[in-house]
Amino acid sequence: MSDRDESFSREVKAEVMKHIPRKDESCQSVMDGIVMSSGADSKQSDNVVDYIERLLTRESVSLYSDASLYKDAGIDRYFLRGVFLACGYCSDPSIAYRIELHVKESWAVPIIEDMLAQADVPFRTSGRGEVTVLYITSGDAVSDFLGIIGADLKRLEFENKRAEKEVIGNVTRAVNCDSGNTRRQAEAGAARNELISKLMASDAANSLSPELLQAAKVNLENPGASISELGKLMDPPIGKSGMNHRIQKLLEIAKSID
């Protein structure tokens, strides 16, 4: 994980922990998400420990709850918030679109998977030693998950960086396309000039019509010009179609020369 990834992930968690849910049952859901995904004895960061202590100030909130309450319970955004605080990581969107949930307690995995599925957040699951990792890797899914756990400001930042990244990608593709077109145009022009030079050096040049002769000279005098630009240099100027017709006729004659 890069420093930028760690920073963005910490900032997501910091935003989520700014507020304690108003309802005790919501606080309990956050607590359950933390404990059930990572284990009651799992070491947490100081910030998460402080948050747990704040949750426990609620009289009805306990470190332990009944896991069966979450089976087929539907989407519980507070539970998923706790899961992310305990074992989640979110990459910086300028690098990649990726959220990972490293779940230590295997029996909690189906509960989390069911909640993500019901929230229409696509994910994949993989084992990594004694830990099960749930990966969320599409831009839309990462954005949706950030919204679900209440990280609205980081979600907005994510979308801004995502849009910026896509704009840069589109510009890069356009530049590459233009470069490719320029290269192909230059290659075609070089091949065309070679054939027309061959024609002009042969006896066949003496039998060219004035229009074709002028087209050949204009082409050789302007090796980097496009067909459209060559047409404008004719006297009188002609359109791209007309110039292309003359060039093709010249090439046809040139190719027939032994």
Side-chain angles (χ1 to χ4, degrees):
M1 186 189 304
S2 70
D3 291 341
R4 275 198 293 176
D5 281 337
E6 289 184 354
S7 176
F8 190 83
S9 197
R10 282 197 303 268
E11 289 167 3
V12 172
K13 292 184 179 182
E15 180 183 353
V16 168
M17 291 188 290
K18 278 184 178 179
H19 306 289
I20 294 289
R22 293 181 180 179
K23 297 181 179 179
D24 284 4
E25 55 265 35
S26 299
C27 291
Q28 186 64 59
S29 291
V30 176
M31 182 67 74
D32 291 342
I34 293 172
V35 174
M36 291 184 189
S37 61
S38 61
D41 59 347
S42 179
K43 184 178 180 180
Q44 300 291 342
S45 69
D46 291 342
N47 289 338
V48 174
V49 170
D50 290 342
Y51 190 68
I52 290 173
E53 291 176 351
R54 290 166 62 195
L55 292 173
L56 289 173
T57 59
R58 297 291 183 86
E59 187 175 341
S60 61
V61 176
S62 168
L63 269 175
Y64 302 96
S65 184
D66 185 358
S68 65
L69 295 175
Y70 293 94
K71 292 181 179 179
D72 304 318
I75 305 165
D76 189 327
R77 63 178 61 246
Y78 293 104
F79 183 89
L80 291 175
R81 180 183 298 186
V83 172
F84 182 79
L85 289 175
C87 61
Y89 133 78
C90 182
S91 67
D92 188 302
S94 61
I95 299 174
Y97 307 145
R98 187 182 189 88
I99 283 177
E100 294 181 11
L101 304 174
H102 295 240
V103 184
K104 182 178 179 182
E105 300 293 344
S106 59
W107 54 266
V109 172
I111 295 174
I112 300 170
E113 289 178 327
D114 185 59
M115 288 187 184
L116 292 176
Q118 292 193 57
D120 292 324
V121 174
F123 64 92
R124 62 183 177 86
T125 305
S126 176
R128 188 183 296 179
E130 297 181 355
V131 175
T132 301
V133 184
L134 283 72
Y135 299 93
I136 301 170
T137 55
S138 81
D140 288 342
V142 170
S143 179
D144 288 345
F145 186 85
L146 292 176
I148 288 170
I149 65 173
D152 295 325
L153 293 178
K154 299 310 291 184
R155 182 186 190 184
L156 179 60
E157 181 180 340
F158 173 89
E159 288 293 358
N160 288 338
K161 288 188 176 183
R162 182 185 177 192
E164 180 181 344
K165 187 176 181 180
E166 290 178 356
V167 168
I168 292 173
N170 290 336
V171 170
T172 300
R173 283 190 291 273
V175 169
N176 290 340
C177 181
D178 288 343
S179 298
N181 289 338
T182 300
R183 185 186 68 255
R184 286 189 291 273
Q185 180 178 314
E187 291 172 350
R192 185 174 69 234
N193 288 345
E194 183 178 350
L195 283 171
I196 293 177
S197 294
K198 175 184 175 183
L199 169 59
M200 295 301 289
S202 71
D203 293 337
N206 298 325
S207 59
L208 293 176
S209 67
E211 293 81 8
L212 290 180
L213 185 60
Q214 184 191 18
K217 290 180 178 179
V218 167
N219 182 85
L220 293 176
E221 291 169 358
N222 302 276
S226 66
I227 298 295
S228 179
E229 291 168 337
L230 291 174
K232 294 176 182 178
L233 295 172
M234 295 290 286
D235 185 18
I238 60 176
K240 179 180 179 180
S241 177
M243 189 64 191
N244 185 61
H245 176 75
R246 296 185 187 185
I247 291 293
Q248 293 305 317
K249 186 63 177 177
L250 289 169
L251 296 178
E252 182 182 333
I253 296 171
K255 290 176 182 178
S256 67
I257 298 173
D258 294 333

